Amino acid sequence: MSFEQDFNRLQEIVRQLEEGDLPLEKSLELFQEGISLFRRCQEELNRAEGKISELIKSLDQGWETIPFERDGGGREPE
Amino acid sequence: MGETVLPGNRILSVTEMTVYIRSILENDRLLQNVWVRGEISDFRYYQKSGHMYFNLKDETASVACVMFRTRAKSVDFKPGDGLKVIARGYISVFEKYGRYQFYVEEMEPDGLGSLFLSLAQLKERLEKEGLFDQRRKRPIPRFVNCLGVVTSSDGAALRDIIRVVRQRHSGCHIVVAPAAVQGPEAPDEIARSLDALNEWGQPDVIIVGRGGGSLEDLWAFNTEKVVKAIARSRIPVISAVGHEIDFSLADLAADVRAATPTQAAQMAVPDMLAYQEQLTATGLRLRRIMERSCNQRWAQLDYLRERRIWKKPQSLFEPYRRELQHTLQGLQHHMMNILNARSSSLKQLAVTLDAISPLKVLERGYAIARTEDGDVVRSIEQVKPNSLLNLTVRNGEIKAEVREIRRGDWCDEF
């Protein structure tokens, strides 16, 4: 599941719970799902800085990525 | 060593040399009053000073031009990039930058610029092919985890994109497919890199573009090769040809057009800070809902626990008991009615019975005569002389013998 799917599902769960009228077991189930979705989204948001790569042709004529080198590592010089 | 010695065995300062060059140019009769035909590019007009700056160019050469306010006022058409003009003026040197310039004093339009014309024709053709149709436009995914970038690997555009993406969504993977963005190789390289990202297939969205430049710098983005590569991309494309005013054909073919690479990066990746805020709020809501739901249920339980039924369980049976009693009373009442009715009819019967009792008749002096067979004698035919009769009277029986039988004269039947 992507972050977006997780995030949307989480919103949906909160909406359902807020509307109420759910049996206790069902709402506990949703609550647990919501908490684990929340944790997953949080992890995704806290994920370390993503890579910067360069796309190059691989030996088997497919494509592969290598770390992008520019001005010493592709990081923004201030 | 290392010192340049000019004719005259004198070492010149830069200024001296520049002044010397300028004097040569300004003493040339042709260059001091010349008509030039060319196409305007990189046109800039400064409101405050009223001066115009631009280049005049043809297929192979280009010259920097300036038209000062006093002269610019006399221009009676709207100069702009791509416009072909005839200009009259003189050549001199802008000493500060050591640059020769064409100081335009007069300018007239020379029909539509040929580059411009061919651009218009290409646009019309590609439009007919449907490459610019609004229906082709795809939305940019809301959440982008892998961003493809087609631009020069050492340009400001890439720096801007990386900076903005890092600010908004630090976890986003940026994949650069480098391409020259100007010069004769640019169209092929841009198209090849777009295709490569599509073949690789990982990016959620692709930014193709470059920082600002003159119209000819941006020319690659007006070529059929680039437009078609954008149009056939399966991955949504954001064009970012740093050119605020005019649309390039690449802009028209892209799913979304951004004015600058910075804006393109903003469009491509979500602002994760906003997501973070939303997520935190959502987490709070989730916990609050559960708390409230539990509290509500506790309250309900408390309420139930306080109900009278638990303190006086017997009250549960009270209505039944009452109804049972009521029914019993009814039953008793009903029974009494029946019994009363029966006993009064019994009394009635007893009276009747008493009235018709034979004992009463016997008491008045009558007797009942029976034959020996026990039949009550009602007629003289039942008895014969010398037969025996049983007579029942009030207080006993008498056995009697029949002596004589005589028909009563009160009997008229015979």
Side-chain angles (χ1 to χ4, degrees):
Chain A
M1 278 252 265
S2 74
F3 175 87
E4 185 167 25
Q5 282 170 316
D6 283 348
F7 194 80
N8 289 344
R9 173 72 185 141
L10 178 58
Q11 303 284 349
E12 169 63 18
I13 283 175
V14 169
R15 196 188 58 73
Q16 274 184 28
L17 285 173
E18 274 178 345
E19 268 173 22
D21 301 338
L22 290 170
L24 186 60
E25 264 132 278
K26 179 72 185 163
S27 60
L28 276 175
E29 209 175 278
L30 283 177
F31 178 69
Q32 269 164 1
E33 190 187 344
I35 288 293
S36 68
L37 285 170
F38 175 81
R39 295 219 174 98
R40 276 226 295 277
C41 287
Q42 192 61 66
E43 276 167 26
E44 183 68 25
L45 285 178
N46 291 341
R47 204 169 64 179
E49 193 166 276
K51 293 177 290 184
I52 303 180
S53 316
E54 181 174 341
L55 190 66
I56 58 162
K57 198 130 201 155
S58 61
L59 288 177
D60 60 3
Q61 296 303 298
W63 297 96
E64 61 184 352
T65 57
I66 54 166
F68 177 68
E69 297 290 338
R70 178 184 59 94
D71 301 337
R75 287 293 141 77
E76 174 65 6
E78 210 41 64
Chain B
M1 286 299 290
E3 287 170 346
T4 309
V5 181
L6 287 176
N9 278 342
R10 217 165 75 71
I11 300 169
L12 300 179
S13 70
V14 174
T15 303
E16 283 169 329
M17 185 179 72
T18 306
V19 168
Y20 177 70
I21 292 172
R22 179 174 156 185
S23 70
I24 292 176
L25 292 175
E26 288 187 351
N27 284 317
D28 187 288
R29 280 193 53 164
L30 173 63
L31 292 182
Q32 285 317 293
N33 189 14
V34 61
W35 281 93
V36 177
R37 165 177 281 132
E39 191 182 289
I40 295 180
S41 72
D42 201 12
F43 180 84
R44 282 154 293 151
Y45 172 68
Y46 293 99
Q47 290 281 346
K48 263 192 191 148
S49 63
H51 305 328
M52 292 173 179
Y53 299 90
F54 51 96
N55 296 333
L56 277 183
K57 62 161 190 164
D58 54 22
E59 279 74 17
T60 50
S62 164
V63 59
C65 305
V66 57
M67 198 166 183
F68 291 125
R69 178 201 188 98
T70 43
R71 297 295 183 170
K73 276 196 298 193
S74 68
V75 174
D76 58 359
F77 65 102
K78 202 169 174 237
D81 288 356
L83 210 61
K84 214 161 186 187
V85 293
I86 305 166
R88 188 191 59 77
Y90 61 91
I91 297 292
S92 184
V93 172
F94 184 30
E95 286 159 7
K96 190 172 177 190
Y97 295 129
R99 187 167 78 159
Y100 80 88
Q101 288 193 128
F102 186 34
Y103 291 82
V104 180
E105 295 178 309
E106 225 182 299
M107 189 160 69
E108 285 170 17
D110 185 29
L112 209 57
S114 63
L115 279 176
F116 216 67
L117 195 66
S118 67
L119 175 63
Q121 285 165 345
L122 179 62
K123 182 181 169 187
E124 200 182 328
R125 184 158 61 77
L126 297 177
E127 206 156 33
K128 269 187 193 141
E129 287 180 32
L131 297 188
F132 305 146
D133 274 7
Q134 281 305 315
R135 274 171 294 140
R136 294 174 48 93
K137 308 290 182 205
R138 293 159 297 191
I140 303 303
R142 210 155 67 94
F143 189 85
V144 171
N145 255 328
C146 180
L147 172 68
V149 181
V150 177
T151 190
S152 161
S153 58
D154 52 9
L158 184 57
R159 273 206 311 279
D160 289 345
I161 289 168
I162 291 172
R163 179 174 47 80
V164 172
V165 170
R166 282 284 168 270
Q167 278 168 6
R168 292 170 69 86
H169 177 19
S170 66
C172 183
H173 182 192
I174 301 171
V175 181
V176 184
V181 289
Q182 64 190 79
E185 294 304 315
D188 278 329
E189 288 191 17
I190 293 168
R192 210 182 304 140
S193 284
L194 273 167
D195 289 342
L197 284 172
N198 270 280
E199 272 176 47
W200 184 54
Q202 302 289 315
D204 301 308
V205 66
I206 295 173
I207 295 175
V208 56
R210 55 158 295 155
S214 65
L215 191 64
E216 60 264 38
D217 286 343
L218 307 176
W219 204 256
F221 295 90
N222 279 325
T223 58
E224 185 169 356
K225 274 177 186 160
V226 169
V227 169
K228 291 210 156 155
I230 290 173
R232 70 172 167 263
S233 173
R234 279 174 291 106
I235 300 167
V237 175
I238 301 176
S239 71
V241 184
H243 200 240
E244 297 259 8
I245 308 136
D246 290 320
F247 277 69
S248 68
L249 297 187
D251 289 330
L252 296 176
D255 293 290
V256 175
R257 180 225 178 196
T260 61
T262 300
Q263 196 193 8
Q266 285 165 350
M267 287 170 164
V269 300
D271 188 352
M272 296 312 275
L273 271 180
Y275 271 98
Q276 178 62 68
E277 274 167 31
Q278 230 180 321
L279 186 68
T280 308
T282 305
L284 273 175
R285 261 163 83 198
L286 195 61
R287 289 198 169 87
R288 227 168 11 231
I289 291 160
M290 257 352 253
E291 261 171 41
R292 203 170 51 213
S293 163
C294 284
N295 287 343
Q296 263 170 15
R297 285 183 161 95
W298 273 118
Q300 277 168 0
L301 203 58
D302 284 346
Y303 172 71
L304 288 175
R305 208 162 36 191
E306 287 307 309
R307 293 283 278 267
R308 197 162 55 94
I309 198 73
W310 306 112
K311 294 178 174 159
K312 280 191 175 175
Q314 62 272 36
S315 62
L316 197 59
F317 310 116
E318 189 60 29
Y320 296 102
R321 203 179 57 80
R322 222 174 291 145
E323 191 173 334
L324 192 64
Q325 212 158 27
H326 185 72
T327 310
L328 197 62
Q329 275 170 1
L331 195 62
Q332 281 170 344
H333 183 71
H334 206 61
M335 209 55 214
M336 286 303 286
N337 282 347
I338 290 171
L339 287 177
N340 286 343
R342 286 292 151 86
S343 91
S344 73
S345 65
L346 194 63
K347 262 182 211 151
Q348 191 61 47
L349 274 176
V351 170
T352 313
L353 201 60
D354 191 47
I356 63 165
S357 166
L359 293 175
K360 278 263 177 189
V361 180
L362 296 179
E363 223 149 73
R364 294 208 308 262
Y366 293 91
I368 300 165
R370 285 193 184 86
T371 63
E372 277 173 305
D373 298 334
D375 295 332
V376 172
V377 179
R378 298 173 196 278
S379 157
I380 52 175
E381 279 79 20
Q382 282 176 275
V383 294
K384 293 180 179 80
N386 300 320
S387 63
L388 292 175
L389 289 177
N390 280 322
L391 302 179
T392 305
V393 296
R394 186 185 62 89
N395 55 355
E397 287 200 344
I398 301 165
K399 198 155 268 196
E401 198 181 80
V402 178
R403 294 274 171 86
E404 193 188 333
I405 301 165
R406 202 172 47 227
R407 179 165 302 270
D409 50 9
W410 58 87
C411 204
D412 298 331
E413 276 108 294
F414 301 98

